[in-house]
Amino acid sequence: MDGQPSGSGEIRLVNVTKTFGDMDAVKSIDLVIPHGSYCCLVGPSGCGKTTILRMIAGHETPTSGEIHIGEQMVVGLKPVQRGTAMMFQSYALFPHLSVLDNVAFYLKMRDVAKAERRQRAREMLERVQLDHLAERMPAMLSGGQQQRVALARALITNPRVLLLDEPLSALDEFLRLRMRGELKSLQNELGITFVHVTHTQPEAIALADMVVVMDHGRIDQADTARHIFSRPATPYVARFMGGQNVLSGIVTETSGGVLAIADASGPTYAASASGTMPAVGTPMSFVVRRDRIALTKGASAAAGEVNAVNGRVIATEYQGTYVKVTLDVASREAFVANIGDDTYFADPLRVGDEVTARWATADVHVLERADTGAAIDPYAEDAA
Amino acid sequence: MSLPSQGRRPWTFYVLSVMFTLFVLFLYGPMFIMFILSFQGPTGGLVFPMRGFSFTWFEALFGQARTGDVGGAFSRSLPLALIVMVLTVLISVTAGFAFRRRFVGSGFLFYTAVASLIVPGLVLSIGILVTARFLGIPARWWFTGLGAHLSWTLPFGLLIMFAILGRLSPSYEEAAYDMGATRWQTVRHVVIPIVFPGMIAVALFGFTLSYDEFPRSWLTVGSLNTLPIEIWTMTTNVTSPALYALGTVTSAISFVAIGLAIGSIAYIQHRRSKRT
Amino acid sequence: MKSNRLLTYLQVTPLFLVLLLFVIVPLALVLIVSFFRYQMLVGLVPDFTFKNYIDLLSNPTSYKLYFSTIKFTLIVLAITGVLGFWVAYFLVFHVRNLLVAIGLFLVCTVPFWTSNIIRMISWRPVLGTEGLINTALLESGLVGEPISWLLFSDFAVIVAYVHLFTLFMIVPIFNAMARIDKALLEAAVDAGATRWGVVWNVVLPLSKTGIALGAVFVVTLVMGDFFVVAVMSGGLSGSATSGIFNDLQFLNYPRAAANAVVLLIIVLLIATAIFRLVDVRKELVR
């Protein structure tokens, strides 16, 4: 349609680097986003996620490396030749054009006759249920309406890839949840590739088939939402995505697929190893999900007991379905247990109480990379 | 294609750079030629070639004999410009604050100020002269001239203050009141420091626009000329490089004023950015 | 609350007094005096006569002068508009370093704070028959004798106008352009707009208020000018203000006033027409 590249919306980044001045925004990245998937790029601001999006869109040129969309190597192509459409964070609606003319802009640029482009723009507005506002100026619309117009304007180009730059950040909480659902069902309906940049982890988890966690211009992990959350690859991913306690120690024993890990501050842990067995003496980090922790009152962890730590309650936070209990344990960051509300309120805790946290070896996931112990991770929760 | 703002420089960058360079040359070239020619040797004329290098024409300027009353014109133009500067800052700053609130007649006052900017200087000049006649007072540089200059500088000052105050969030003042500051303390310790660079800009406009004002001054300064009018009469009488020498001197004064203003704004911004 | 309001009025009183005494009353008096009679040796004689206007409108010279002024205005408007637009476009969209852009912008505005008359005079050694251009042309053998129309001509007048007034275009257009969200340009490129398409469809419409504001400045400056035309044309061309100038030489204030009123009306009409075309108010009031 309209002579633009249709077909596969698979995106392949091969060894892509982008340098601004003497700063590397993106450092030799390799990434494959399958056709028709909903991919979220997530990470703190300045991690390079927006730069990747803009390079796919053609608004930045990689310093080196290749970007392929479908069968095409797109570096050097104009944005419009790539079959991508971008939805900007600020929506970038033309303030001097009506809603209808905003949506029809792409058609105007291809010299489509006025009657036809208005007709087609109107149809597109009907799809996003905004045809009644066609003659309004963008400034007269609410945030949610502006976002739909931006969506309509992007979709009228019939893209094989839709690029969304923090599309929900300007909306209030209620609208954000609703639009989140709509984006997901729209992607299902269209079957094209969505690449969505966000700094909000729940948004990524809720939407994405594929989550790409980034830090300092590198990809830490690219995987399904479920794996990213439950089987993070690095301490950074675990902390950034949340819901996990990160613990570290030295491997002291490997036998029968089970690792014994000793923490310098006392406790010993057990974990089932996956893949190759690490050598005795290697530093090792692992995570335990916060909702798989059991608490008992009193510091009862015996010396030598595996997967048990003593701690003192420093905060409790009611979250509706569960209570977040923060403990001060001997390690350098706080330890959190999410206790179901019924269980918790059957025997509530107070700040200062001594407790013991225990968990099953099956709930331990070993990380690929050990905590470096260098600078304190910004996402580590401080033990006050 | 990538946008001009990223990626490799597009060809339009080079075309527009050349155009911009030529424009700057067009803007400054003649002035610098005049500066050079003002150092003509005693036998040199109004055009190249330079016949030696001397300060002859600068000395001739204040010799009074051939060039009219340049010294006297200076002695009026400089104080006038300073008075206009001070009044422009005071009046536009206070009025600027008043305009942040709605008041009856604000629209009328605003449009009158804008009209004052648009009205041809000569028309206003006639009006002020006629007004003086009706009041039975002669035109004098320190009264009618002063008023004519203010009618030109105040609209600029006001528009600059609007731009500055538009960016001043009322929450700064509210925060100061919350912490128990009086209205005066708030102005003194919160508002003035924030808008100070803007006030320097207003002062720059006030000084330079008055110092170089011609069309509105022509009929209103009375029998004793200000500098631009002196230069204007010289263009017809004086056919020596003394004219250029005067141009060099008066431009130098303007450049000093501009340099002081921009320099102090840059200094303040620099100091503030270093502190944070 | 009441003291607040009182304070507000106190704050605007100085501004009001200056505008009243030096803008409102003078303009009103110009209008009144334009209906007065002029008598040799006596001067102003209060009256209510249309004679001054009839004199003016029945004199073919007036039309010639206005025609000449309008011609200059349109030519200068076109040149400063194009120049101002592209200079501002270059500064806002091509210069990537903000500090460099501000620096270059200042380079463009500094002449505004220097003397117009001096800047005009400085063209003499460049354009004159023995000036820089003619010397260069003669020495290179491109011309056999100096080009005489460089100075004291319509050409010289236009050069001076463009030299003096282009920055009145650059500043408002620069301001308007600086406010354009860069994402709008990218969105247009996404939709397939060419470089020229972006300028035409996005940058130009969004700079309209700036262009209009600049145009109002240039129109009023050129139409109200009397010294550039006088000096640079060497008395060969006249302008609308030349008539006023002559009347003033003869102390004929009533006719000068009538002339001024006509000029003012024409200038205000053009300004209003431009403001009608583009709503500049929001630009000014913000």
Side-chain angles (χ1 to χ4, degrees):
Chain A
M1 181 179 279
D2 282 329
Q4 70 159 22
S6 51
S8 170
E10 181 191 73
I11 302 168
R12 274 188 303 131
L13 280 75
V14 184
N15 200 16
V16 170
T17 297
K18 176 68 185 178
T19 314
F20 293 112
D22 53 359
M23 192 196 74
D24 288 342
V26 169
K27 297 168 196 161
S28 46
I29 277 194
D30 291 291
L31 178 67
V32 178
I33 302 171
H35 169 71
S37 61
Y38 200 123
C39 172
C40 277
L41 301 178
V42 61
S45 58
C47 71
K49 56 192 194 301
T50 301
T51 307
I52 290 184
L53 195 77
R54 291 170 58 80
M55 286 192 290
I56 299 172
H59 292 310
E60 305 280 1
T61 314
T63 309
S64 63
E66 292 184 356
I67 299 174
H68 300 262
I69 301 177
E71 305 301 307
Q72 262 179 315
M73 187 351 227
V74 295
V75 174
L77 288 188
K78 294 178 184 179
V80 74
Q81 294 170 323
R82 299 180 177 213
T84 57
M86 178 135 167
M87 223 176 92
F88 293 85
Q89 183 173 11
S90 57
Y91 309 140
L93 297 179
F94 302 120
H96 59 298
L97 299 179
S98 69
V99 166
L100 191 69
D101 287 338
N102 259 287
V103 177
F105 191 84
Y106 167 76
L107 302 171
K108 188 182 174 193
M109 289 302 108
R110 346 204 86 204
D111 295 321
V112 175
K114 188 160 189 171
E116 188 194 338
R117 66 176 191 246
R118 290 182 78 85
Q119 169 67 23
R120 281 172 58 186
R122 202 169 277 282
E123 282 166 16
M124 186 51 75
L125 281 173
E126 275 167 28
R127 276 187 68 175
V128 295
Q129 291 133 41
L130 277 179
D131 42 319
H132 60 292
L133 299 175
E135 301 304 328
R136 291 263 184 97
M137 297 308 268
M140 312 289 289
L141 303 184
S142 71
Q145 290 166 336
Q146 287 184 9
Q147 203 218 28
R148 281 158 187 272
V149 177
L151 201 55
R153 190 177 68 177
L155 291 179
I156 204 163
T157 66
N158 210 11
R160 49 183 171 165
V161 175
L162 184 64
L163 305 165
L164 306 108
D165 187 6
E166 309 237 357
L168 305 174
S169 61
L171 304 177
D172 64 46
E173 186 63 23
F174 178 76
L175 216 50
R176 182 158 45 229
L177 293 181
R178 219 181 82 189
M179 283 309 297
R180 197 164 90 180
E182 286 190 27
L183 281 178
K184 182 73 184 167
S185 59
L186 184 71
Q187 193 262 339
N188 273 332
E189 181 194 330
L190 295 171
I192 62 174
T193 313
F194 274 35
V195 184
H196 176 136
V197 160
T198 176
H199 58 258
T200 332
Q201 306 87 317
E203 201 169 295
I205 298 272
L207 281 168
D209 304 319
M210 177 185 188
V211 177
V212 178
V213 185
M214 293 195 60
D215 183 33
H216 291 103
R218 291 186 195 284
I219 293 175
D220 263 56
Q221 192 174 7
D223 211 330
T224 61
R226 178 125 201 268
H227 273 155
I228 290 274
F229 183 73
S230 61
R231 315 193 70 79
T234 64
Y236 167 79
V237 174
R239 292 192 181 104
F240 185 76
M241 297 310 289
Q244 305 272 15
N245 290 302
V246 181
L247 297 165
S248 301
I250 306 281
V251 177
T252 54
E253 205 186 320
T254 61
S255 65
V258 177
L259 301 171
I261 303 163
D263 189 328
S265 63
T268 52
Y269 314 113
S272 7
S274 53
T276 50
M277 270 297 180
V280 170
T282 36
M284 177 67 65
S285 287
F286 60 91
V287 293
V288 189
R289 275 170 60 165
R290 292 175 174 180
D291 55 342
R292 301 287 165 84
I293 310 284
L295 293 182
T296 47
K297 280 192 175 168
S300 58
E305 184 183 350
V306 178
N307 294 343
V309 290
N310 292 330
R312 196 169 42 80
V313 177
I314 53 176
T316 61
E317 211 175 90
Y318 178 54
Q319 301 278 354
T321 54
Y322 65 91
V323 180
K324 179 182 169 192
V325 182
T326 309
L327 306 180
D328 180 13
V329 298
S331 72
R332 67 197 174 94
E333 72 187 277
F335 188 94
V336 176
N338 293 342
I339 310 294
D341 60 336
D342 288 341
T343 318
Y344 178 86
F345 289 110
D347 188 12
L349 294 164
R350 269 181 307 181
V351 170
D353 283 354
E354 298 284 337
V355 291
T356 308
R358 290 189 174 82
W359 59 90
T361 304
D363 292 323
V364 173
H365 166 68
V366 175
L367 300 175
E368 287 167 16
R369 206 183 300 159
D371 224 342
T372 52
I376 286 273
D377 197 304
Y379 296 95
E381 276 192 56
D382 252 340
Chain B
M1 181 194 104
S2 65
L3 281 166
S5 52
Q6 55 259 331
R8 228 178 310 117
R9 301 267 191 204
W11 62 270
T12 46
F13 172 80
Y14 299 99
V15 174
L16 288 173
S17 301
V18 169
M19 181 211 69
F20 184 79
T21 313
L22 290 177
F23 175 71
V24 171
L25 220 60
F26 168 77
L27 212 53
Y28 288 90
M31 271 173 109
F32 283 102
I33 288 168
M34 184 189 68
F35 296 160
I36 294 168
L37 283 173
S38 63
F39 295 99
Q40 232 351 333
T43 55
L46 282 165
V47 291
F48 284 109
M50 292 287 283
R51 296 190 195 285
F53 176 92
S54 74
F55 292 96
T56 316
W57 306 106
F58 290 91
E59 286 155 20
L61 262 190
F62 295 93
Q64 261 212 17
R66 286 170 45 198
T67 49
D69 186 17
V70 173
F74 260 119
S75 73
R76 287 180 286 275
S77 266
L78 269 181
L80 179 61
L82 288 171
I83 297 166
V84 170
M85 176 182 89
V86 170
L87 288 179
T88 304
V89 171
L90 289 179
I91 297 174
S92 18
V93 169
T94 48
F97 280 108
F99 271 99
R100 299 174 83 197
R101 298 182 283 269
R102 293 229 149 269
F103 61 91
V104 181
S106 63
F108 170 77
L109 212 54
F110 174 71
Y111 285 111
T112 310
V114 172
S116 173
L117 205 61
I118 290 174
V119 171
L122 188 61
V123 174
L124 201 60
S125 210
I126 296 172
I128 293 172
L129 183 65
V130 172
T131 309
R133 289 229 159 167
F134 273 84
L135 294 175
I137 46 175
R140 288 282 185 269
W141 63 268
W142 45 264
F143 181 61
T144 45
L146 176 67
H149 284 196
L150 286 176
S151 77
W152 177 232
T153 58
L154 280 181
F156 281 104
L158 206 57
L159 288 179
I160 296 169
M161 286 315 293
F162 282 179
I164 305 281
L165 294 176
R167 262 176 275 145
L168 177 73
S169 155
S171 43
Y172 294 127
E173 287 148 274
E174 285 161 8
Y177 293 138
D178 282 354
M179 287 177 269
T182 62
R183 192 201 299 272
W184 169 242
Q185 285 174 315
T186 306
V187 169
R188 164 82 184 69
H189 295 288
V190 177
V191 177
I192 298 282
I194 294 175
V195 302
F196 192 67
M199 287 163 64
I200 296 176
V202 175
L204 172 66
F205 275 80
F207 180 84
T208 57
L209 293 189
S210 161
Y211 180 69
D212 299 321
E213 214 300 319
F214 175 64
R216 291 177 195 224
S217 314
W218 187 52
L219 293 172
T220 54
V221 294
S223 47
L224 296 170
N225 284 345
T226 54
L227 200 57
I229 303 175
E230 195 63 37
I231 298 169
W232 158 258
T233 49
M234 281 173 74
T235 56
T236 43
N237 307 334
V238 178
T239 50
S240 71
L243 183 60
Y244 299 155
L246 182 53
T248 304
V249 171
T250 184
S251 301
I253 292 175
S254 297
F255 280 126
V256 167
I258 298 164
L260 277 179
I262 294 176
S264 49
I265 292 174
Y267 174 71
I268 291 169
Q269 308 286 36
H270 175 72
R271 244 187 26 190
R272 282 188 187 165
S273 66
K274 248 173 73 178
R275 262 193 244 160
T276 50
Chain C
M1 216 57 231
K2 203 158 206 170
S3 74
N4 242 342
R5 195 172 305 161
L6 186 69
L7 181 76
T8 304
Y9 284 110
L10 272 177
Q11 283 173 329
V12 291
T13 303
L15 176 71
F16 175 70
L17 286 180
V18 171
L19 291 179
L20 180 74
L21 198 57
F22 295 104
V23 180
I24 299 169
V25 169
L27 289 181
L29 281 178
V30 166
L31 185 65
I32 293 169
V33 168
S34 73
F35 295 105
F36 281 15
R37 217 148 30 85
Y38 169 70
Q39 209 171 344
M40 209 77 99
L41 301 175
V42 180
L44 297 176
V45 179
D47 198 347
F48 187 78
T49 168
F50 287 96
K51 185 175 177 301
N52 300 314
Y53 289 98
I54 293 164
D55 272 6
L56 196 66
L57 297 176
S58 59
N59 186 350
T61 317
S62 320
Y63 294 98
K64 239 174 66 190
L65 290 176
Y66 269 100
F67 178 76
S68 159
T69 300
I70 302 252
K71 180 190 75 187
F72 279 131
T73 308
L74 290 179
I75 294 171
V76 173
L77 208 52
I79 298 174
T80 54
V82 170
L83 209 52
F85 182 85
W86 288 109
V87 166
Y89 179 77
F90 173 75
L91 292 178
V92 174
F93 296 111
H94 276 80
V95 181
R96 290 173 191 170
N97 185 316
L98 184 68
L99 274 179
V100 174
I102 292 173
L104 293 179
F105 177 71
L106 277 178
V107 166
C108 292
T109 49
V110 158
F112 174 68
W113 297 307
T114 64
S115 168
N116 276 359
I117 294 182
I118 294 296
R119 287 204 289 144
M120 191 178 65
I121 290 170
S122 68
W123 279 101
R124 280 187 168 183
V126 178
L127 295 179
T129 40
E130 290 171 57
L132 217 56
I133 292 178
N134 268 322
T135 313
L137 286 176
L138 279 173
E139 270 171 22
S140 66
L142 282 172
V143 292
E145 54 187 71
I147 304 171
S148 56
W149 52 261
L150 285 181
L151 190 60
F152 303 135
S153 62
D154 285 0
F155 173 79
V157 174
I158 290 167
V159 166
Y161 279 148
V162 171
H163 184 226
L164 296 179
F165 301 148
T166 300
L167 58 96
F168 285 91
M169 276 287 188
I170 295 176
V171 173
I173 298 177
F174 179 89
N175 279 334
M177 277 187 191
R179 257 184 251 140
I180 298 175
D181 182 357
K182 297 279 191 295
L184 292 178
L185 277 65
E186 293 176 349
V189 170
D190 263 1
T194 58
R195 194 186 308 280
W196 173 245
V198 173
V199 171
W200 183 254
N201 288 293
V202 181
V203 178
L204 190 64
L206 291 175
S207 317
K208 258 192 342 207
T209 49
I211 297 170
L213 217 52
V216 169
F217 272 118
V218 170
V219 165
T220 56
L221 287 166
V222 173
M223 294 204 63
D225 161 71
F226 62 98
F227 65 89
V228 175
V229 156
V231 172
M232 295 306 277
S233 80
L236 298 176
S237 297
S239 70
T241 45
S242 314
I244 304 180
F245 205 76
N246 290 334
D247 292 333
L248 288 173
Q249 306 285 337
F250 293 103
L251 300 178
N252 188 341
Y253 286 103
R255 205 163 72 200
N259 226 325
V261 169
V262 172
L263 175 66
L264 192 57
I265 289 173
I266 290 176
V267 168
L268 288 182
L269 277 180
I270 296 176
T272 318
I274 294 172
F275 286 145
R276 258 300 144 73
L277 232 57
V278 181
D279 187 12
V280 193
R281 247 179 330 171
K282 53 182 182 225
E283 193 82 0
L284 276 177
V285 175
R286 274 202 304 184

